[in-house]
PDB file of all heavy atoms in Angstrom:
ATOM      1  N   HIS V  74     112.394 -65.702  83.389  1.00 96.00           N
ATOM      2  CA  HIS V  74     112.179 -65.688  81.942  1.00 96.00           C
ATOM      3  C   HIS V  74     113.457 -65.588  81.128  1.00 96.00           C
ATOM      4  O   HIS V  74     113.397 -65.497  79.899  1.00 96.00           O
ATOM      5  CB  HIS V  74     111.237 -64.531  81.585  1.00 96.00           C
ATOM      6  CG  HIS V  74     109.850 -64.718  82.097  1.00 96.00           C
ATOM      7  ND1 HIS V  74     109.068 -63.688  82.570  1.00 96.00           N
ATOM      8  CD2 HIS V  74     109.092 -65.846  82.251  1.00 96.00           C
ATOM      9  CE1 HIS V  74     107.905 -64.155  82.970  1.00 96.00           C
ATOM     10  NE2 HIS V  74     107.899 -65.467  82.789  1.00 96.00           N
ATOM     11  N   VAL V 168     117.182 -79.202  88.139  1.00 97.00           N
ATOM     12  CA  VAL V 168     116.438 -78.374  87.191  1.00 97.00           C
ATOM     13  C   VAL V 168     114.941 -78.548  87.407  1.00 97.00           C
ATOM     14  O   VAL V 168     114.167 -77.585  87.368  1.00 97.00           O
ATOM     15  CB  VAL V 168     116.829 -78.720  85.743  1.00 97.00           C
ATOM     16  CG1 VAL V 168     115.923 -77.984  84.748  1.00 97.00           C
ATOM     17  CG2 VAL V 168     118.284 -78.359  85.472  1.00 97.00           C
ATOM     18  N   ALA V 182     102.308 -65.705  87.389  1.00 94.00           N
ATOM     19  CA  ALA V 182     101.072 -64.920  87.411  1.00 94.00           C
ATOM     20  C   ALA V 182     101.398 -63.464  87.750  1.00 94.00           C
ATOM     21  O   ALA V 182     102.419 -63.163  88.378  1.00 94.00           O
ATOM     22  CB  ALA V 182     100.105 -65.495  88.435  1.00 94.00           C
ATOM     23  N   LYS V 213     117.107 -80.470  99.383  1.00 98.00           N
ATOM     24  CA  LYS V 213     117.462 -81.327 100.515  1.00 98.00           C
ATOM     25  C   LYS V 213     116.243 -82.095 101.029  1.00 98.00           C
ATOM     26  O   LYS V 213     116.342 -83.281 101.380  1.00 98.00           O
ATOM     27  CB  LYS V 213     118.071 -80.473 101.627  1.00 98.00           C
ATOM     28  CG  LYS V 213     118.660 -81.270 102.769  1.00 98.00           C
ATOM     29  CD  LYS V 213     119.858 -82.103 102.339  1.00 98.00           C
ATOM     30  CE  LYS V 213     120.475 -82.822 103.533  1.00 98.00           C
ATOM     31  NZ  LYS V 213     121.574 -83.714 103.124  1.00 98.00           N
TER      32      LYS V 213
END
Side-chain angles (χ1 to χ4, degrees):
H74 293 143
V168 173
K213 188 65 176 176

